[in-house]
Amino acid sequence: LHRTRPKTTLSVGIIAKDAETDIARCLASVWPVADEIIVGDTGSTDHTREIAQQYGATVLPLEPVDQQREGFSGARNAVLEKATGDWFLWIDTDEILMDSYKLRAYLEGPIFNGVVLHQNHLALDAPPSHDVPVRVFRRLPQVRFYGCVHEQPQSGGPNSDIHPIIDPKDVCLAHTGYLTNDVREHKRKTRNLKLMLRDVEVFPDRLLSQVIYLREAVIQSDAERTAWPDPRGLSCRTKSSEACPASARAQSPPRRG
């Protein structure tokens, strides 16, 4: 049997910094299906670069993410520009591509421009959850990453989705980077929050940035409320009952005239 068209090629792009404990597992999961692997290293001081090179990856030195104007999307786009494959898969060092050999079947043919990979967040102290991002896309000139944090690939602008896409159920990602609440909160406060504030300035028209910003405001507000224990045991823990919603104040006994 002979192929009637050239083999579809796949580039894998990774951003890494001091990830020696995770990156080998990630690389091992994508190596069987990757035609090239590009690791954008943003300032590692451990053995991350050496491990990447052991898997045949091209290591691209980059400025630290917090020193790049476009944050994570700036680093992603730098890696994307070095890619040569027909398709581009972006993955993080704390993720594993499960059943990777099944991905190839979705890259053949001219119909789809993107592949959704269910990103399963594994946690020890919470039920598992998942997102449905486009993690594999056809490498087209109009597709680039947007967002200083929680970056996403878009086609032609910060709010223009890649389409058409396919949503397979037999290949997915396992994400182990947020195993406990302490880890999640540490990353949110020390890394994500600063980039989030920059995000609304660099990408003011990006709708996802605005949604994430509002979500963060709600999280921060809830954290501040619960920081003030209420001696009466009301559900709203604030400095004074006047600051509580009416539903919480209604739980207190009525005043006697």
Side-chain angles (χ1 to χ4, degrees), residues 40-235:
D41 186 87
T42 59
S44 293
T45 57
D46 61 3
H47 296 93
T48 295
R49 298 187 183 193
E50 291 82 353
I51 296 172
Q53 290 169 342
Q54 291 175 6
Y55 283 84
T58 298
V59 177
L60 178 65
L62 299 175
E63 292 293 321
V65 167
D66 60 359
Q67 295 180 22
Q68 299 194 39
R69 180 177 180 273
E70 295 188 355
F72 277 102
S73 65
R76 297 278 186 203
N77 286 324
V79 172
L80 176 59
E81 289 173 3
K82 295 295 182 181
T84 62
D86 300 310
W87 291 80
F88 186 83
L89 160 66
W90 57 291
I91 188 171
D92 289 326
T93 58
D94 58 4
E95 294 175 332
I96 305 169
L97 180 63
M98 308 299 294
D99 295 323
S100 60
Y101 66 94
K102 297 179 181 179
L103 177 61
R104 279 285 178 183
Y106 301 104
L107 308 184
E108 298 293 340
I111 299 177
F112 299 105
N113 288 326
V115 181
V116 168
L117 295 181
H118 287 230
Q119 182 191 28
N120 297 285
H121 306 289
L122 307 181
L124 299 176
D125 56 0
S129 61
H130 74 273
D131 293 318
V132 286
V134 175
R135 282 303 194 92
V136 189
F137 56 85
R138 202 180 296 274
R139 198 173 57 85
L140 301 172
Q142 69 269 26
V143 177
R144 67 186 304 272
F145 288 90
Y146 294 86
C148 295
V149 67
H150 300 300
E151 69 284 3
Q152 292 293 323
Q154 308 286 162
S155 180
N159 301 312
S160 301
D161 293 334
I162 297 171
H163 63 84
I165 60 173
I166 188 170
D167 184 2
K169 300 299 188 292
D170 57 350
V171 57
C172 65
L173 296 170
H175 178 216
T176 61
Y178 292 151
L179 285 177
T180 66
N181 187 62
D182 288 343
V183 173
R184 294 190 291 272
E185 284 298 296
H186 176 74
K187 290 184 178 180
R188 184 179 68 85
K189 293 178 180 178
T190 62
R191 182 194 68 182
N192 292 1
L193 186 56
K194 293 179 180 179
L195 290 172
M196 201 176 302
L197 294 174
R198 187 195 305 174
D199 194 26
V200 295
E201 297 179 358
V202 177
F203 301 101
D205 298 326
R206 184 181 182 233
L207 296 179
L208 181 59
S209 300
Q210 298 170 26
V211 171
I212 294 171
Y213 187 82
L214 291 173
R215 183 184 67 181
E216 180 62 30
V218 172
I219 294 174
Q220 189 64 30
S221 176
D222 288 344
E224 291 177 357
R225 280 194 302 144
T226 56
W228 297 93
D230 192 292
R232 296 172 300 171
L234 300 183
S235 59

